[in-house]
Amino acid sequence: MNHQSIVTAFRESSHSSGGQGSECLEVAHTADGGRAVRDSKNPSGGLQFYGPGHWAAFIDGVKAGTFGG
């Protein structure tokens, strides 16, 4: 199994409102502890992969208010 193997189902971000026109992301765990991310309105449009270190840095930035609105 390579590091980009998706090992869980995708789930919608807890920050998604579910309304029309909302910008929703879905996230799944990967074999190496990272994450795969896709657009919930276009799930076949491609994936972005983040290793565990990059994902942790992103989450830390969100919690610190560095990312997000």
Side-chain angles (χ1 to χ4, degrees):
M1 187 177 295
N2 77 37
H3 70 282
Q4 290 186 339
S5 294
I6 297 169
V7 297
T8 65
F10 278 91
R11 66 178 186 88
E12 193 170 287
S13 166
S14 60
H15 292 283
S16 295
S17 64
Q20 286 292 85
S22 62
E23 297 177 8
C24 302
L25 294 177
E26 294 178 328
V27 179
H29 292 252
T30 57
D32 68 347
R35 301 296 185 274
V37 179
R38 69 182 183 187
D39 180 349
S40 63
K41 292 181 286 184
N42 186 14
S44 62
L47 301 172
Q48 292 185 343
F49 290 92
Y50 298 92
H54 289 110
W55 186 255
F58 169 72
I59 295 301
D60 289 345
V62 169
K63 289 179 180 177
T66 305
F67 301 111

Short mmCIF file of all heavy atoms in Angstrom, two decimals:
data_model
loop_
_atom_site.label_atom_id
_atom_site.label_comp_id
_atom_site.label_asym_id
_atom_site.label_seq_id
_atom_site.Cartn_x
_atom_site.Cartn_y
_atom_site.Cartn_z
N MET A 1 0.85 -1.18 0.00
CA MET A 1 0.00 0.00 0.00
C MET A 1 0.89 1.24 0.00
O MET A 1 1.78 1.35 0.83
CB MET A 1 -0.87 -0.05 1.26
CG MET A 1 -1.93 1.01 1.31
SD MET A 1 -3.00 0.88 2.77
CE MET A 1 -3.84 -0.65 2.49
N ASN A 2 0.67 2.16 -0.94
CA ASN A 2 1.51 3.34 -0.95
C ASN A 2 0.91 4.44 -0.08
O ASN A 2 -0.23 4.34 0.37
CB ASN A 2 1.81 3.82 -2.38
CG ASN A 2 0.68 4.56 -3.04
OD1 ASN A 2 -0.04 5.33 -2.42
ND2 ASN A 2 0.51 4.35 -4.32
N HIS A 3 1.67 5.51 0.13
CA HIS A 3 1.25 6.56 1.04
C HIS A 3 0.00 7.29 0.56
O HIS A 3 -0.69 7.92 1.34
CB HIS A 3 2.38 7.54 1.29
CG HIS A 3 2.73 8.38 0.10
ND1 HIS A 3 3.48 7.90 -0.94
CD2 HIS A 3 2.41 9.65 -0.21
CE1 HIS A 3 3.60 8.86 -1.86
NE2 HIS A 3 2.98 9.93 -1.44
N GLN A 4 -0.34 7.21 -0.73
CA GLN A 4 -1.53 7.88 -1.23
C GLN A 4 -2.73 6.94 -1.32
O GLN A 4 -3.75 7.29 -1.90
CB GLN A 4 -1.25 8.53 -2.59
CG GLN A 4 -0.33 9.72 -2.47
CD GLN A 4 -0.15 10.45 -3.79
OE1 GLN A 4 -0.38 9.90 -4.85
NE2 GLN A 4 0.27 11.69 -3.71
N SER A 5 -2.64 5.78 -0.70
CA SER A 5 -3.79 4.88 -0.65
C SER A 5 -4.79 5.41 0.35
O SER A 5 -4.46 5.66 1.51
CB SER A 5 -3.35 3.48 -0.23
OG SER A 5 -2.51 2.90 -1.20
N ILE A 6 -6.01 5.60 -0.09
CA ILE A 6 -7.07 6.11 0.78
C ILE A 6 -7.63 4.95 1.58
O ILE A 6 -8.03 3.93 1.02
CB ILE A 6 -8.16 6.80 -0.07
CG1 ILE A 6 -7.54 8.00 -0.78
CG2 ILE A 6 -9.34 7.21 0.79
CD1 ILE A 6 -8.42 8.62 -1.84
N VAL A 7 -7.64 5.09 2.91
CA VAL A 7 -8.02 3.99 3.78
C VAL A 7 -9.33 4.23 4.53
O VAL A 7 -9.76 3.36 5.29
CB VAL A 7 -6.88 3.64 4.77
CG1 VAL A 7 -5.65 3.16 4.02
CG2 VAL A 7 -6.53 4.83 5.66
N THR A 8 -9.97 5.38 4.36
CA THR A 8 -11.28 5.63 4.95
C THR A 8 -12.19 6.24 3.89
O THR A 8 -11.72 6.71 2.85
CB THR A 8 -11.21 6.61 6.15
OG1 THR A 8 -10.80 7.90 5.68
CG2 THR A 8 -10.27 6.11 7.23
N ALA A 9 -13.46 6.27 4.19
CA ALA A 9 -14.41 6.95 3.30
C ALA A 9 -14.20 8.45 3.41
O ALA A 9 -13.73 8.96 4.43
CB ALA A 9 -15.83 6.59 3.71
N PHE A 10 -14.53 9.17 2.35
CA PHE A 10 -14.52 10.62 2.41
C PHE A 10 -15.67 11.08 3.29
O PHE A 10 -16.75 10.50 3.28
CB PHE A 10 -14.68 11.23 1.01
CG PHE A 10 -13.40 11.27 0.24
CD1 PHE A 10 -13.04 10.23 -0.58
CD2 PHE A 10 -12.54 12.35 0.35
CE1 PHE A 10 -11.85 10.25 -1.29
CE2 PHE A 10 -11.35 12.39 -0.35
CZ PHE A 10 -11.01 11.34 -1.17
N ARG A 11 -15.43 12.15 4.05
CA ARG A 11 -16.51 12.76 4.83
C ARG A 11 -16.44 14.27 4.64
O ARG A 11 -15.36 14.83 4.45
CB ARG A 11 -16.46 12.37 6.29
CG ARG A 11 -15.26 12.88 7.04
CD ARG A 11 -15.33 12.46 8.51
NE ARG A 11 -14.26 13.08 9.26
CZ ARG A 11 -14.31 14.26 9.83
NH1 ARG A 11 -15.39 14.99 9.76
NH2 ARG A 11 -13.28 14.74 10.49
N GLU A 12 -17.59 14.91 4.72
CA GLU A 12 -17.66 16.34 4.50
C GLU A 12 -17.05 17.09 5.67
O GLU A 12 -17.20 16.70 6.82
CB GLU A 12 -19.12 16.77 4.32
CG GLU A 12 -19.28 18.17 3.79
CD GLU A 12 -20.70 18.48 3.41
OE1 GLU A 12 -21.16 17.95 2.37
OE2 GLU A 12 -21.34 19.23 4.15
N SER A 13 -16.38 18.17 5.37
CA SER A 13 -15.78 19.01 6.39
C SER A 13 -16.84 19.46 7.39
O SER A 13 -17.97 19.77 7.01
CB SER A 13 -15.14 20.24 5.74
OG SER A 13 -14.84 21.21 6.72
N SER A 14 -16.49 19.51 8.65
CA SER A 14 -17.43 19.96 9.68
C SER A 14 -17.75 21.44 9.53
O SER A 14 -18.70 21.94 10.13
CB SER A 14 -16.86 19.68 11.07
OG SER A 14 -15.63 20.37 11.25
N HIS A 15 -16.98 22.17 8.73
CA HIS A 15 -17.22 23.59 8.51
C HIS A 15 -18.07 23.86 7.28
O HIS A 15 -18.32 25.00 6.94
CB HIS A 15 -15.90 24.36 8.41
CG HIS A 15 -15.16 24.38 9.70
ND1 HIS A 15 -15.51 25.21 10.74
CD2 HIS A 15 -14.11 23.65 10.14
CE1 HIS A 15 -14.70 25.00 11.76
NE2 HIS A 15 -13.84 24.06 11.41
N SER A 16 -18.52 22.80 6.60
CA SER A 16 -19.36 22.97 5.42
C SER A 16 -20.80 23.23 5.86
O SER A 16 -21.31 22.55 6.74
CB SER A 16 -19.33 21.72 4.55
OG SER A 16 -18.03 21.53 4.04
N SER A 17 -21.44 24.20 5.24
CA SER A 17 -22.80 24.55 5.63
C SER A 17 -23.85 23.69 4.95
O SER A 17 -24.97 23.63 5.41
CB SER A 17 -23.07 26.02 5.33
OG SER A 17 -23.01 26.23 3.93
N GLY A 18 -23.50 23.06 3.84
CA GLY A 18 -24.44 22.22 3.13
C GLY A 18 -25.44 22.99 2.28
O GLY A 18 -26.29 22.41 1.64
N GLY A 19 -25.35 24.30 2.24
CA GLY A 19 -26.27 25.12 1.47
C GLY A 19 -25.85 25.23 0.02
O GLY A 19 -24.73 24.89 -0.35
N GLN A 20 -26.76 25.70 -0.82
CA GLN A 20 -26.44 25.91 -2.23
C GLN A 20 -25.33 26.94 -2.35
O GLN A 20 -25.33 27.96 -1.67
CB GLN A 20 -27.67 26.40 -2.99
CG GLN A 20 -28.70 25.32 -3.24
CD GLN A 20 -28.18 24.29 -4.22
OE1 GLN A 20 -27.50 23.35 -3.84
NE2 GLN A 20 -28.49 24.46 -5.48
N GLY A 21 -24.39 26.68 -3.22
CA GLY A 21 -23.31 27.62 -3.44
C GLY A 21 -22.22 27.58 -2.39
O GLY A 21 -21.27 28.34 -2.45
N SER A 22 -22.36 26.69 -1.41
CA SER A 22 -21.33 26.64 -0.37
C SER A 22 -20.08 25.95 -0.91
O SER A 22 -20.15 25.16 -1.83
CB SER A 22 -21.85 25.89 0.86
OG SER A 22 -22.16 24.56 0.53
N GLU A 23 -18.98 26.29 -0.35
CA GLU A 23 -17.71 25.70 -0.74
C GLU A 23 -17.39 24.57 0.23
O GLU A 23 -16.98 24.81 1.35
CB GLU A 23 -16.61 26.76 -0.73
CG GLU A 23 -16.87 27.86 -1.73
CD GLU A 23 -15.84 28.95 -1.70
OE1 GLU A 23 -14.81 28.79 -1.00
OE2 GLU A 23 -16.04 29.96 -2.36
N CYS A 24 -17.65 23.35 -0.21
CA CYS A 24 -17.52 22.19 0.67
C CYS A 24 -16.34 21.32 0.26
O CYS A 24 -16.10 21.09 -0.92
CB CYS A 24 -18.78 21.35 0.62
SG CYS A 24 -20.27 22.24 1.08
N LEU A 25 -15.64 20.83 1.26
CA LEU A 25 -14.55 19.89 1.05
C LEU A 25 -14.89 18.57 1.71
O LEU A 25 -15.58 18.54 2.72
CB LEU A 25 -13.26 20.42 1.66
CG LEU A 25 -12.66 21.67 1.05
CD1 LEU A 25 -11.42 22.08 1.82
CD2 LEU A 25 -12.33 21.45 -0.41
N GLU A 26 -14.37 17.50 1.13
CA GLU A 26 -14.45 16.19 1.74
C GLU A 26 -13.03 15.71 2.00
O GLU A 26 -12.13 15.98 1.20
CB GLU A 26 -15.17 15.21 0.82
CG GLU A 26 -16.63 15.56 0.62
CD GLU A 26 -17.33 14.61 -0.32
OE1 GLU A 26 -16.70 14.08 -1.26
OE2 GLU A 26 -18.53 14.42 -0.13
N VAL A 27 -12.85 15.03 3.11
CA VAL A 27 -11.52 14.61 3.54
C VAL A 27 -11.55 13.12 3.86
O VAL A 27 -12.51 12.62 4.45
CB VAL A 27 -11.08 15.40 4.80
CG1 VAL A 27 -9.72 14.96 5.28
CG2 VAL A 27 -11.10 16.89 4.52
N ALA A 28 -10.49 12.40 3.48
CA ALA A 28 -10.33 10.99 3.82
C ALA A 28 -8.90 10.77 4.33
O ALA A 28 -7.98 11.50 3.97
CB ALA A 28 -10.58 10.10 2.61
N HIS A 29 -8.72 9.77 5.17
CA HIS A 29 -7.39 9.41 5.68
C HIS A 29 -6.63 8.60 4.63
O HIS A 29 -7.22 7.82 3.89
CB HIS A 29 -7.52 8.57 6.95
CG HIS A 29 -8.06 9.32 8.11
ND1 HIS A 29 -7.29 9.68 9.18
CD2 HIS A 29 -9.30 9.79 8.37
CE1 HIS A 29 -8.03 10.34 10.06
NE2 HIS A 29 -9.26 10.42 9.57
N THR A 30 -5.32 8.78 4.61
CA THR A 30 -4.46 7.99 3.73
C THR A 30 -3.62 7.03 4.57
O THR A 30 -3.52 7.17 5.79
CB THR A 30 -3.54 8.89 2.88
OG1 THR A 30 -2.77 9.71 3.75
CG2 THR A 30 -4.36 9.76 1.93
N ALA A 31 -3.01 6.07 3.90
CA ALA A 31 -2.27 5.01 4.57
C ALA A 31 -1.12 5.53 5.45
O ALA A 31 -0.79 4.92 6.46
CB ALA A 31 -1.73 4.01 3.55
N ASP A 32 -0.54 6.66 5.07
CA ASP A 32 0.60 7.17 5.84
C ASP A 32 0.19 8.12 6.97
O ASP A 32 1.03 8.72 7.61
CB ASP A 32 1.59 7.88 4.91
CG ASP A 32 1.05 9.17 4.30
OD1 ASP A 32 -0.18 9.43 4.40
OD2 ASP A 32 1.85 9.93 3.72
N GLY A 33 -1.12 8.27 7.21
CA GLY A 33 -1.58 9.17 8.25
C GLY A 33 -1.88 10.57 7.74
O GLY A 33 -2.27 11.44 8.51
N GLY A 34 -1.71 10.78 6.44
CA GLY A 34 -2.04 12.06 5.84
C GLY A 34 -3.50 12.11 5.44
O GLY A 34 -4.32 11.33 5.94
N ARG A 35 -3.83 13.03 4.55
CA ARG A 35 -5.21 13.19 4.12
C ARG A 35 -5.30 13.39 2.61
O ARG A 35 -4.39 13.94 2.00
CB ARG A 35 -5.87 14.39 4.80
CG ARG A 35 -5.91 14.35 6.31
CD ARG A 35 -6.76 13.21 6.85
NE ARG A 35 -6.89 13.26 8.29
CZ ARG A 35 -6.03 12.72 9.14
NH1 ARG A 35 -4.95 12.12 8.70
NH2 ARG A 35 -6.24 12.78 10.45
N ALA A 36 -6.41 12.95 2.06
CA ALA A 36 -6.78 13.24 0.68
C ALA A 36 -7.97 14.19 0.76
O ALA A 36 -8.86 14.01 1.59
CB ALA A 36 -7.17 11.97 -0.06
N VAL A 37 -7.99 15.21 -0.09
CA VAL A 37 -9.03 16.23 -0.07
C VAL A 37 -9.63 16.34 -1.46
O VAL A 37 -8.92 16.29 -2.46
CB VAL A 37 -8.45 17.60 0.37
CG1 VAL A 37 -9.50 18.68 0.38
CG2 VAL A 37 -7.79 17.48 1.73
N ARG A 38 -10.96 16.50 -1.52
CA ARG A 38 -11.64 16.70 -2.80
C ARG A 38 -12.81 17.67 -2.63
O ARG A 38 -13.28 17.91 -1.51
CB ARG A 38 -12.13 15.39 -3.40
CG ARG A 38 -13.27 14.75 -2.63
CD ARG A 38 -13.68 13.45 -3.24
NE ARG A 38 -14.83 12.87 -2.53
CZ ARG A 38 -15.32 11.67 -2.76
NH1 ARG A 38 -14.75 10.89 -3.66
NH2 ARG A 38 -16.36 11.23 -2.08
N ASP A 39 -13.26 18.22 -3.74
CA ASP A 39 -14.41 19.12 -3.78
C ASP A 39 -15.68 18.28 -3.74
O ASP A 39 -15.90 17.43 -4.61
CB ASP A 39 -14.35 19.94 -5.07
CG ASP A 39 -15.48 20.94 -5.23
OD1 ASP A 39 -16.47 20.90 -4.47
OD2 ASP A 39 -15.38 21.77 -6.15
N SER A 40 -16.55 18.51 -2.76
CA SER A 40 -17.75 17.69 -2.63
C SER A 40 -18.73 17.90 -3.78
O SER A 40 -19.53 17.02 -4.08
CB SER A 40 -18.46 17.99 -1.30
OG SER A 40 -18.89 19.33 -1.25
N LYS A 41 -18.66 19.05 -4.46
CA LYS A 41 -19.54 19.31 -5.59
C LYS A 41 -19.01 18.69 -6.88
O LYS A 41 -19.73 18.59 -7.86
CB LYS A 41 -19.74 20.81 -5.78
CG LYS A 41 -20.53 21.46 -4.64
CD LYS A 41 -20.72 22.94 -4.87
CE LYS A 41 -19.39 23.62 -4.60
NZ LYS A 41 -19.43 25.07 -4.69
N ASN A 42 -17.75 18.25 -6.87
CA ASN A 42 -17.14 17.64 -8.05
C ASN A 42 -16.18 16.55 -7.60
O ASN A 42 -14.96 16.66 -7.78
CB ASN A 42 -16.41 18.72 -8.87
CG ASN A 42 -15.88 18.19 -10.18
OD1 ASN A 42 -16.25 17.10 -10.62
ND2 ASN A 42 -14.99 18.94 -10.80
N PRO A 43 -16.69 15.48 -7.00
CA PRO A 43 -15.82 14.45 -6.42
C PRO A 43 -14.91 13.74 -7.42
O PRO A 43 -13.87 13.22 -7.04
CB PRO A 43 -16.78 13.48 -5.75
CG PRO A 43 -18.12 13.80 -6.25
CD PRO A 43 -18.09 15.21 -6.77
N SER A 44 -15.28 13.72 -8.69
CA SER A 44 -14.43 13.07 -9.69
C SER A 44 -13.45 14.06 -10.33
O SER A 44 -12.71 13.71 -11.23
CB SER A 44 -15.28 12.41 -10.77
OG SER A 44 -16.04 13.38 -11.45
N GLY A 45 -13.42 15.29 -9.84
CA GLY A 45 -12.58 16.34 -10.41
C GLY A 45 -11.13 16.29 -10.00
O GLY A 45 -10.33 17.09 -10.46
N GLY A 46 -10.76 15.39 -9.15
CA GLY A 46 -9.36 15.26 -8.74
C GLY A 46 -9.20 15.32 -7.23
O GLY A 46 -10.11 15.72 -6.50
N LEU A 47 -8.04 14.91 -6.79
CA LEU A 47 -7.71 14.86 -5.36
C LEU A 47 -6.44 15.63 -5.10
O LEU A 47 -5.57 15.73 -5.96
CB LEU A 47 -7.49 13.41 -4.92
CG LEU A 47 -8.62 12.43 -5.10
CD1 LEU A 47 -8.13 11.02 -4.79
CD2 LEU A 47 -9.78 12.79 -4.22
N GLN A 48 -6.31 16.13 -3.90
CA GLN A 48 -5.05 16.67 -3.41
C GLN A 48 -4.65 15.83 -2.21
O GLN A 48 -5.50 15.50 -1.37
CB GLN A 48 -5.19 18.13 -3.00
CG GLN A 48 -5.44 19.04 -4.17
CD GLN A 48 -5.46 20.50 -3.76
OE1 GLN A 48 -5.59 20.85 -2.60
NE2 GLN A 48 -5.33 21.37 -4.73
N PHE A 49 -3.38 15.47 -2.16
CA PHE A 49 -2.86 14.65 -1.06
C PHE A 49 -1.93 15.48 -0.19
O PHE A 49 -1.12 16.25 -0.71
CB PHE A 49 -2.10 13.44 -1.61
CG PHE A 49 -3.00 12.42 -2.26
CD1 PHE A 49 -3.25 12.46 -3.62
CD2 PHE A 49 -3.58 11.43 -1.49
CE1 PHE A 49 -4.08 11.53 -4.22
CE2 PHE A 49 -4.41 10.48 -2.08
CZ PHE A 49 -4.66 10.54 -3.45
N TYR A 50 -2.04 15.30 1.12
CA TYR A 50 -1.20 15.99 2.09
C TYR A 50 -0.62 14.95 3.04
O TYR A 50 -1.37 14.17 3.63
CB TYR A 50 -2.01 17.02 2.89
CG TYR A 50 -2.58 18.10 1.99
CD1 TYR A 50 -3.85 17.97 1.44
CD2 TYR A 50 -1.82 19.20 1.65
CE1 TYR A 50 -4.36 18.93 0.59
CE2 TYR A 50 -2.34 20.18 0.80
CZ TYR A 50 -3.60 20.04 0.28
OH TYR A 50 -4.09 20.99 -0.56
N GLY A 51 0.71 14.95 3.18
CA GLY A 51 1.36 14.05 4.12
C GLY A 51 1.01 14.43 5.55
O GLY A 51 0.48 15.52 5.81
N PRO A 52 1.31 13.56 6.51
CA PRO A 52 0.92 13.82 7.89
C PRO A 52 1.49 15.12 8.46
O PRO A 52 0.79 15.85 9.17
CB PRO A 52 1.43 12.61 8.66
CG PRO A 52 2.04 11.69 7.69
CD PRO A 52 1.96 12.28 6.33
N GLY A 53 2.73 15.45 8.15
CA GLY A 53 3.33 16.68 8.66
C GLY A 53 2.69 17.92 8.09
O GLY A 53 2.42 18.88 8.82
N HIS A 54 2.41 17.91 6.79
CA HIS A 54 1.76 19.06 6.16
C HIS A 54 0.32 19.22 6.66
O HIS A 54 -0.15 20.33 6.88
CB HIS A 54 1.78 18.93 4.65
CG HIS A 54 3.15 19.12 4.08
ND1 HIS A 54 3.86 18.08 3.54
CD2 HIS A 54 3.94 20.21 4.01
CE1 HIS A 54 5.04 18.54 3.14
NE2 HIS A 54 5.11 19.83 3.42
N TRP A 55 -0.38 18.10 6.82
CA TRP A 55 -1.76 18.17 7.32
C TRP A 55 -1.77 18.72 8.75
O TRP A 55 -2.59 19.58 9.08
CB TRP A 55 -2.43 16.80 7.25
CG TRP A 55 -3.87 16.88 7.62
CD1 TRP A 55 -4.45 16.48 8.79
CD2 TRP A 55 -4.93 17.44 6.83
NE1 TRP A 55 -5.79 16.74 8.77
CE2 TRP A 55 -6.12 17.33 7.58
CE3 TRP A 55 -4.99 18.02 5.57
CZ2 TRP A 55 -7.35 17.77 7.11
CZ3 TRP A 55 -6.22 18.46 5.10
CH2 TRP A 55 -7.37 18.33 5.86
N ALA A 56 -0.86 18.25 9.59
CA ALA A 56 -0.80 18.73 10.98
C ALA A 56 -0.49 20.23 11.02
O ALA A 56 -1.09 20.97 11.82
CB ALA A 56 0.25 17.95 11.77
N ALA A 57 0.40 20.69 10.16
CA ALA A 57 0.73 22.12 10.12
C ALA A 57 -0.48 22.93 9.68
O ALA A 57 -0.74 24.02 10.21
CB ALA A 57 1.91 22.36 9.18
N PHE A 58 -1.23 22.43 8.71
CA PHE A 58 -2.44 23.11 8.26
C PHE A 58 -3.46 23.21 9.40
O PHE A 58 -4.01 24.29 9.67
CB PHE A 58 -3.04 22.38 7.06
CG PHE A 58 -4.42 22.85 6.69
CD1 PHE A 58 -4.60 24.09 6.10
CD2 PHE A 58 -5.53 22.06 6.95
CE1 PHE A 58 -5.87 24.53 5.77
CE2 PHE A 58 -6.80 22.50 6.62
CZ PHE A 58 -6.97 23.73 6.03
N ILE A 59 -3.71 22.10 10.08
CA ILE A 59 -4.68 22.09 11.19
C ILE A 59 -4.22 23.03 12.29
O ILE A 59 -5.03 23.79 12.85
CB ILE A 59 -4.88 20.65 11.72
CG1 ILE A 59 -5.53 19.78 10.65
CG2 ILE A 59 -5.72 20.65 13.00
CD1 ILE A 59 -6.88 20.25 10.15
N ASP A 60 -2.95 23.03 12.62
CA ASP A 60 -2.42 23.95 13.64
C ASP A 60 -2.65 25.40 13.21
O ASP A 60 -3.01 26.25 14.04
CB ASP A 60 -0.94 23.71 13.89
CG ASP A 60 -0.66 22.41 14.63
OD1 ASP A 60 -1.61 21.82 15.20
OD2 ASP A 60 0.51 21.97 14.60
N GLY A 61 -2.45 25.69 11.93
CA GLY A 61 -2.68 27.04 11.42
C GLY A 61 -4.13 27.46 11.51
O GLY A 61 -4.45 28.60 11.86
N VAL A 62 -5.04 26.52 11.21
CA VAL A 62 -6.47 26.82 11.31
C VAL A 62 -6.83 27.12 12.77
O VAL A 62 -7.50 28.10 13.07
CB VAL A 62 -7.32 25.66 10.76
CG1 VAL A 62 -8.79 25.84 11.10
CG2 VAL A 62 -7.13 25.51 9.26
N LYS A 63 -6.36 26.28 13.67
CA LYS A 63 -6.66 26.48 15.10
C LYS A 63 -6.08 27.80 15.62
O LYS A 63 -6.68 28.44 16.49
CB LYS A 63 -6.11 25.32 15.92
CG LYS A 63 -6.88 24.03 15.70
CD LYS A 63 -6.27 22.91 16.51
CE LYS A 63 -7.03 21.61 16.30
NZ LYS A 63 -6.42 20.49 17.04
N ALA A 64 -4.95 28.21 15.08
CA ALA A 64 -4.32 29.45 15.52
C ALA A 64 -4.92 30.69 14.82
O ALA A 64 -4.57 31.81 15.16
CB ALA A 64 -2.81 29.40 15.24
N GLY A 65 -5.80 30.45 13.85
CA GLY A 65 -6.41 31.56 13.13
C GLY A 65 -5.60 32.06 11.96
O GLY A 65 -5.90 33.08 11.37
N THR A 66 -4.55 31.32 11.60
CA THR A 66 -3.71 31.71 10.47
C THR A 66 -4.39 31.45 9.14
O THR A 66 -4.21 32.19 8.19
CB THR A 66 -2.38 30.92 10.52
OG1 THR A 66 -1.78 31.15 11.79
CG2 THR A 66 -1.42 31.38 9.44
N PHE A 67 -5.19 30.37 9.06
CA PHE A 67 -5.90 29.99 7.84
C PHE A 67 -7.40 30.06 8.10
O PHE A 67 -7.86 29.90 9.22
CB PHE A 67 -5.55 28.56 7.42
CG PHE A 67 -4.10 28.35 7.17
CD1 PHE A 67 -3.35 27.57 8.03
CD2 PHE A 67 -3.49 28.90 6.06
CE1 PHE A 67 -2.00 27.36 7.79
CE2 PHE A 67 -2.15 28.72 5.82
CZ PHE A 67 -1.41 27.94 6.69
N GLY A 68 -8.14 30.23 7.05
CA GLY A 68 -9.60 30.23 7.16
C GLY A 68 -10.15 31.61 7.42
O GLY A 68 -9.44 32.55 7.68
N GLY A 69 -11.46 31.68 7.31
CA GLY A 69 -12.07 32.98 7.44
C GLY A 69 -13.04 33.10 8.54
O GLY A 69 -13.34 32.37 9.36
#
